[in-house]
Amino acid sequence: MTEDLEPELPRGIALAWGVAANPQRGPKREMSVERIVEAAVEIADADGLGAVSMAAVAARMGFTPMSLYRYVSAKEDLILLMQEEATGIPSDAVREAGGWREQLEALYREQVQNHLAHPWVLDIPISGVPVTPNMAAWMDAGIGALAETQLTHEERLAVMLFVSGAARWAGSILAGYARLAREQGLDGPAITRTEDAMFRALITGDAYPHLRAAIDAGAFLDDSDPFAFALERGLDGIGDYIAAAAEGRHDPGIPWAVPDDADIADDKRFREARKAVRDAEKVLRAARKAERQEARAARDRRAKLNPTG
């Protein structure tokens, strides 16, 4: 019989969990893994991940680089610990937000804010899921939000990955725009107008008909949150799937096997009801577009009346 062996933890993982052997000796009491990580995060927050090196951290702390290696033996381990520190843990507000959807929305918002507070984390190459305490806490919160649903454990994990992926993508784009704003001294609306003008100059209807139609419709000047919209529509679908599971309308052992309405597609009243829903959704989209256009016009009128802000 083959016995299960405990895996040998990489040094960085062991440090994150607090189970690594302590250094036999250190230069001064002020030196510790925690203090090293704090100094490295301060450097990254100020100047980006590329500015972090063992020499830079040591200089910031007033020690020699060799003294750091007694505590953190490799830069890769230091970056892992920096990521763990910057990631933090979900607040109590996530678990107390309400139902599964409200909890996932709160988790998404907190992850986006973390990415904006520490955008350098997004520059760390992904090489699997870091098995660290804080990352485990985020995963547990996402999976736990779905604990009272009929979803399987595999499906709960998939939903958690969807929400975290949406937060990472949104954080990456928003952090990039924030950096651009700082470097060029522009605010968000100014950047948006510049990009729209560039699209209008370069994109033709002959070569890119659908993109040009979106440009002409003012899609790139819209001030709504496209990331939040996509998340909400994704959660809508997940909600439908959860409802189907609760009603026994699909086999939970076959992931993502929600049946369609093919068995009643030829029913006249059903087709009429479905068409009415599509028509109503079309009217709603048009009304929302008109609302956004009027909001932009109102802001423009206010800006003209009060040009100094």
Side-chain angles (χ1 to χ4, degrees):
M1 183 176 65
T2 302
E3 296 182 358
D4 292 335
L5 300 176
E6 292 188 4
E8 182 178 350
L9 297 179
R11 172 72 177 171
I13 299 293
L15 285 169
W17 285 98
V19 296
N22 292 324
Q24 294 182 351
R25 60 190 179 90
K28 287 188 177 182
R29 186 177 303 173
E30 292 83 358
M31 180 72 76
S32 67
V33 173
E34 294 75 16
R35 183 67 193 97
I36 292 171
V37 173
E38 289 175 2
V41 168
E42 290 170 0
I43 293 173
D45 283 345
D47 301 311
L49 186 64
V52 176
S53 67
M54 301 298 272
V57 175
R60 188 178 187 89
M61 299 180 68
F63 295 108
T64 64
M66 286 305 299
S67 64
L68 268 64
Y69 284 102
R70 296 190 180 98
Y71 296 84
V72 181
S73 57
K75 182 180 177 181
E76 291 75 13
D77 295 340
L78 176 59
I79 291 176
L80 175 69
L81 295 173
M82 291 169 59
Q83 182 178 17
E84 176 76 351
E85 175 70 17
T87 298
I89 61 174
S91 71
D92 292 339
V94 171
R95 299 183 189 275
E96 299 169 357
W100 67 266
R101 181 166 184 150
E102 291 77 17
Q103 291 182 49
L104 291 178
E105 289 171 340
L107 185 145
Y108 166 86
R109 289 192 296 270
E110 289 196 5
Q111 288 186 326
V112 171
Q113 289 306 311
N114 277 353
H115 291 320
L116 294 177
H118 306 287
W120 52 268
V121 171
L122 298 165
D123 296 330
I124 300 175
I126 297 176
S127 56
V129 179
V131 189
T132 56
N134 291 351
M135 291 300 296
W138 284 99
M139 294 177 69
D140 186 72
I143 295 172
L146 300 158
E148 301 301 320
T149 72
Q150 297 294 320
L151 298 186
T152 66
H153 290 292
E154 294 80 4
E155 291 166 344
R156 295 172 195 172
L157 179 60
V159 172
M160 183 279 300
L161 292 174
F162 160 68
V163 174
S164 294
R168 182 179 179 90
W169 176 241
S172 178
I173 298 298
L174 295 175
Y177 276 101
R179 180 170 56 249
L180 184 64
R182 291 193 303 270
E183 292 174 351
Q184 297 188 2
L186 301 174
D187 59 11
I191 294 175
T192 298
R193 289 192 298 270
T194 299
E195 290 183 338
D196 179 73
M198 189 176 298
F199 270 113
R200 290 180 184 276
L202 298 174
I203 303 301
T204 65
D206 291 337
Y208 311 97
H210 304 295
L211 177 57
R212 183 68 208 195
I215 295 168
D216 291 339
F220 288 91
L221 293 173
D222 189 86
D223 56 4
S224 61
D225 186 345
F227 307 108
F229 173 84
L231 176 73
E232 292 301 314
R233 301 296 73 76
L235 293 179
D236 286 345
I238 291 166
D240 291 342
Y241 185 81
I242 290 174
E247 296 171 6
R249 290 192 283 115
H250 77 88
D251 181 359
I254 306 177
W256 313 290
V258 180
D260 57 23
D261 297 306
D263 58 327
I264 58 173
D266 60 346
D267 185 272
K268 181 179 180 181
R269 291 186 179 179
F270 173 73
R271 292 200 308 271
E272 291 174 348
R274 173 168 281 182
K275 182 178 184 301
V277 170
R278 289 198 298 265
D279 290 343
E281 290 175 341
K282 183 177 180 180
V283 171
L284 179 60
R285 288 195 297 270
R288 285 176 172 165
K289 179 180 178 181
E291 179 188 32
R292 292 192 295 269
Q293 291 173 338
E294 289 302 324
R296 286 197 299 271
R299 292 189 183 95
D300 290 341
R301 289 193 295 270
R302 178 166 296 183
K304 291 178 180 178
L305 292 174
N306 186 19
T308 61

